[in-house]
Amino acid sequence: MASFDAQAASFINASGRAKVSGQAFVRRNNGKLLRAVGTDVFLIPRTAYADERIVALYGNRNQLRWGVRAPDADPLYEQYMRKTVASSGGSFSFDHVADGEYYVVAMIHLPSEVSFNQFPILERVNVQGGKSVRLVMRGY
């Protein structure tokens, strides 16, 4: 696996003109929507290290592959991403995003009487020319 390169991910800390915002949800088999409500949403700079982790966890899909275990991430990896919390409607927003390619990962709470489970969904986004991007993350 590629080693984490802080310099390659450093654009996450640059102040840009764009906003990356959206809404995240999954539709259950019964048709009910589960939204990212009060859960974490991450903006991750696309680097060789991030690409390998994302492919290992998601393959070519927008949902986590069941049963996949990735090695623990380099501690610096988490320091080079931004995090926000989704609102009651599943909406999220990152302001002052610099141009670059990113992964957006939103956690969806799966209701359970026994435990607290979250299911991550993924979208890829390319910010160019300071133009804002609005996502609808469906998780499928």
Side-chain angles (χ1 to χ4, degrees):
M1 176 163 210
S3 57
F4 180 73
D5 179 355
Q7 187 172 359
S10 65
F11 66 95
I12 190 76
N13 295 320
S15 183
R17 297 189 323 260
K19 175 188 278 192
V20 174
S21 62
Q23 188 174 35
F25 60 89
V26 294
R27 187 176 304 278
R28 298 188 72 167
N29 291 339
N30 64 6
K32 182 179 177 184
L33 287 181
L34 298 176
R35 291 179 173 86
V37 175
T39 56
D40 293 334
V41 181
F42 301 92
L43 184 67
I44 303 168
R46 187 164 178 218
T47 63
Y49 183 85
D51 286 349
E52 282 192 33
R53 284 193 64 78
I54 295 298
V55 167
L57 293 168
Y58 296 86
N60 63 355
R61 302 181 55 202
N62 289 353
Q63 289 185 2
L64 184 69
R65 298 184 314 173
W66 288 106
V68 171
R69 297 267 182 230
D72 289 340
D74 182 308
L76 278 178
Y77 178 63
E78 293 180 11
Q79 292 178 26
Y80 283 84
M81 59 178 72
R82 291 172 59 186
K83 178 173 84 168
T84 191
V85 176
S87 73
S88 61
S91 296
F92 62 89
S93 180
F94 295 95
D95 294 327
H96 309 291
V97 177
D99 287 359
E101 293 183 72
Y102 300 89
Y103 294 106
V104 178
V105 175
M107 305 303 289
I108 306 292
H109 173 69
L110 301 176
S112 169
E113 307 254 339
V114 186
S115 63
F116 183 78
N117 294 311
Q118 293 188 89
F119 181 72
I121 61 173
L122 166 85
E123 287 291 334
R124 293 157 184 86
V125 64
N126 189 0
V127 175
Q128 293 181 336
K131 292 185 178 156
S132 294
V133 178
R134 176 107 178 120
L135 301 171
V136 177
M137 299 179 68
R138 296 181 189 92
Y140 50 85

